[in-house]
Amino acid sequence: MIRPPKVLFATSEMYPFSKTGGLGDVMGALPLTMHRQGIETAVVTPFYGRLATGGINLRLVTENCHVGYPWPPITAEIYMADYYGMQVFFIGRSEYFDRRLYYNTHHGDYFDNCERYTFFCRAVLELALWFGEAPVVLHSNDWQTALLPALIHFRRGWDNFWRNTRTAMTIHNLAFQGRFSSRLFESCGLPRDAWNMDGVEYYGDFNMLKGGIAYADAVTAVSPSYSREILTPEFGCGLEGILNKRARDGRLFGILNGADYDVWDPAEDKYLPANYSLENLEGKAICKKTLIHHFFMSDQLEDRPILGFIGRLRQQKGIDMLIDILPRLMEKEIGVMVLGEGNLEFEAKLWEMMEEYQGRLSVHVGYTEDLAHLIQAASDIFLMPSRYEPCGLTQMYALRFGAPPVATARGGLIDTIIPYPDPQATGFMFPDSEPELFYESICEALEVWEDREYWSNMVRRAMSQNFTWSSSAQKYIAMYQDLGAEL
Ligand code: ADP
Ligand code: GLC
């Protein structure tokens, strides 16, 4: 039996089924939290070839969902899963989604990304028709699903089915906009009226995220600080104009992400060799020892701080700044562990440095969920020198795992870390993306680390931080209600 959802989240990734970063984590937690708060919620996401089912059964609902894109209609398969009582729908079409990586290869984005996600969005509309009832709220996330608010905006004018649906558009990362040739606009299903500077047109190109921002009933960014930063030319990625317009209309909100402590809690983490908690931290030392042995790091590090970095090896994450200061850092009695993948040049540089600083610098290139957990647990200090950070989840996990972060004062990092020397400090923060400032901030953290008693209190404060999804979910629900959604 399929239940028509009141809130339908559309997303290009959802943990545990698919994930390349924080969006996957958010979609694995927020909808379910809302569902548990008593609102019938569902998620719709692509059926990728390498879907991790996590032992959950997927059921084929139909092989014949006709999607009017491109013309003539082609078919999508729809699968569904019961995810802890919440329905998750998967849109399948192997030529689009059966690929090892979701969005790109090492050589760049897939040439047909516009077609793939337009197809996905159009299939979401068909899915809703097939429910027989339109969702009260359709919530899109990032550019891949940003066409939906625009499609619904124009449909509401002539299609009663969609008349009462409210749309929300969440920006997880403004730098990725889904910008394509104007040629592709013609077949996406939007009317000509959408092609203007207040709509999807952007310097002569078709900009999907801009369309979502322009036509959604509410636009949200994933932290209050980021929702302010994106109004400036420095962080607005060229969309600050339309974002300011939405802000003036009172339609732009900043709602902080939560951390999913069902997945990220050292007291119960299934990936760790030993668990630990505020009451008993012994397991953290065992995790550290395991990491040291597994990665052939020097035994002496057991009594010295290990600095961890987990993230996409991209400029956004400031990995270049870490590379820049590593030679100086390595003069100190510390260990550094890096997990990430991305830019090939950064990967090569890190490998090269690992040779040079054998035993104290360990680099793991790849995307490895279990290792991410172990590094969080084994680290004493977590490095997050992001140039911008819409929210950032890894620093929230680091806090819970007792690894005070050293982070740039940007976006969600500002909203989640209390910087030293505040008496309530949970981490360290530097004001600008300068390697020198990053270096000084790490030096400060290392100095504080030497004061073992102070440090232990700081670790305890960090571990006591609680970024629950339930308070974020309530904020989204209140926002939907303000839009007139009857939930
Ligand atoms: P972003 O979404 O910008 O990449 P977030 O901090 O919001 O940053 O979320 C990143 C998520 O991806 C976290 O769950 C983190 O553990 C995970 N992650 C990032 N890089 C890797 C990697 N190389 N291997 C495993 N997990 C990773
Ligand atoms: C994006 C952002 C990150 C955020 C995540 C989830 O990937 O880069 O800061 O935490 O989305 O919202």
Side-chain angles (χ1 to χ4, degrees), residues 323 326 344-358 361 363 365:
I323 291 173
L326 261 175
L344 296 179
E345 256 174 59
F346 294 147
E347 288 178 7
K349 188 80 201 151
L350 284 163
W351 278 108
E352 204 179 282
M353 289 178 127
M354 183 161 92
E355 286 287 303
E356 197 174 336
Y357 302 109
Q358 251 179 24
L361 169 65
V363 177
V365 171

Side-chain angles (χ1 to χ4, degrees), residues 19-23 25-26 172-173 257 264 310-312 316-317 339-341 364-373 376 384 389-395 397:
K19 166 174 168 181
T20 68
L23 172 63
D25 283 356
V26 171
H172 296 262
N173 193 338
N257 283 336
W264 295 93
I310 302 166
R312 291 178 283 117
Q316 176 197 343
K317 299 291 174 185
L339 166 65
E341 65 177 356
H364 187 90
V365 171
Y367 199 89
T368 326
E369 188 75 22
D370 41 5
L371 186 53
H373 288 249
Q376 291 277 11
M384 203 141 172
E389 196 58 76
C391 178
L393 300 173
T394 42
Q395 84 282 8
Y397 305 153

